[in-house]
Amino acid sequence: MSLSEVIMIGIALSMDAFGITLSIGLSSMLTKRNKIKFILSFSVFQFLFAYIGGGLGYLFDTYIISISSVCGGIIIGIVGVLMIFDGIKNEESDVLIKNSTCIILGISVSIDALVIGFTVFHHLGSNLILMVNSLLIGLITLFICTLGFFICRYIKKLKFVTKYANFLGGLALILFACKMIFF
């Protein structure tokens, strides 16, 4: 897997975290410390779930049955479609500033990283390569979520942006799924 593909996956995976970052960043009750907690939660769980998914996928592939690219592509495509449906729903809810909320949101935006790790990173073989790719996904998420909070300073009145972030992330995952299925 090339570096550009890992970067594309990292950007696609971070779009749902970016959407959440934008929506909670628009809240005036969020402090700088809360923002840092959310950024770290999103990036650590993206890294951790991609790594765990890759390891579990490798074990599954080695000891049970090989996972075909078509099956993985279908799963990734479904995740992309679900992200687009989340963008269509555009649910408005107040986020409570608690550590548990930070952890729950970090886990919820990282479930797709577990799927990507399981379906895409399972064939890497080397634990070091899996670690580096997962770390790159976490760092991309850290950068994009930090950027999201900076953007919120300027667009506090434009709430439709979170919907487009989910659409872009979903579209990127669907395009990657098509690449896996057809090429």
Side-chain angles (χ1 to χ4, degrees):
M1 174 169 289
S2 71
L3 179 63
S4 63
E5 289 176 327
V6 175
I7 290 172
M8 186 175 81
I9 290 170
I11 291 170
L13 289 174
S14 65
M15 284 296 113
D16 53 348
F18 180 71
I20 300 295
T21 301
L22 288 175
S23 64
I24 63 176
L26 296 173
S27 171
S28 60
M29 49 188 339
L30 213 60
T31 65
K32 188 175 189 174
R33 182 180 174 145
N34 295 124
K35 291 176 184 178
I36 291 171
K37 284 182 187 179
F38 278 109
I39 290 169
L40 291 176
S41 174
F42 294 162
S43 5
V44 166
F45 281 113
Q46 289 279 19
F47 156 73
L48 189 62
F49 281 19
Y51 184 75
I52 289 171
L56 291 176
Y58 175 75
L59 292 174
F60 189 85
D61 192 32
T62 303
Y63 296 110
I64 299 175
I65 189 169
S66 181
I67 301 170
S68 77
S69 293
V70 173
C71 181
I74 290 170
I75 292 171
I76 292 170
I78 290 170
V79 171
V81 169
L82 291 175
M83 285 177 65
I84 290 174
F85 282 142
D86 284 345
I88 292 170
K89 286 180 187 175
N90 198 16
E91 297 175 350
E92 293 281 334
S93 62
D94 291 339
V95 177
L96 299 175
I97 309 303
K98 294 182 180 177
N99 289 335
S100 60
T101 303
C102 185
I103 292 170
I104 290 169
L105 283 176
I107 291 171
S108 68
V109 299
S110 301
I111 295 298
D112 51 351
L114 185 67
V115 173
I116 292 291
F118 192 80
T119 58
V120 178
F121 291 164
H122 74 278
H123 68 283
L124 295 177
S126 169
N127 199 22
L128 179 62
I129 295 172
L130 175 61
M131 175 72 78
V132 169
N133 287 347
S134 301
L135 185 61
L136 184 58
I137 287 173
L139 290 173
I140 289 169
T141 303
L142 181 112
F143 174 75
I144 287 179
C145 290
T146 303
L147 183 66
F149 279 124
F150 281 118
I151 290 172
C152 284
R153 291 180 180 178
Y154 302 105
I155 59 164
K156 289 217 180 226
K157 295 180 182 179
L158 302 174
K159 294 189 180 197
F160 67 93
V161 174
T162 58
K163 181 167 75 170
Y164 292 123
N166 284 334
F167 286 131
L168 292 174
L171 181 63
L173 285 178
I174 290 170
L175 290 174
F176 188 72
C178 290
K179 179 186 179 280
M180 285 180 67
I181 293 170
F182 299 115
F183 300 107

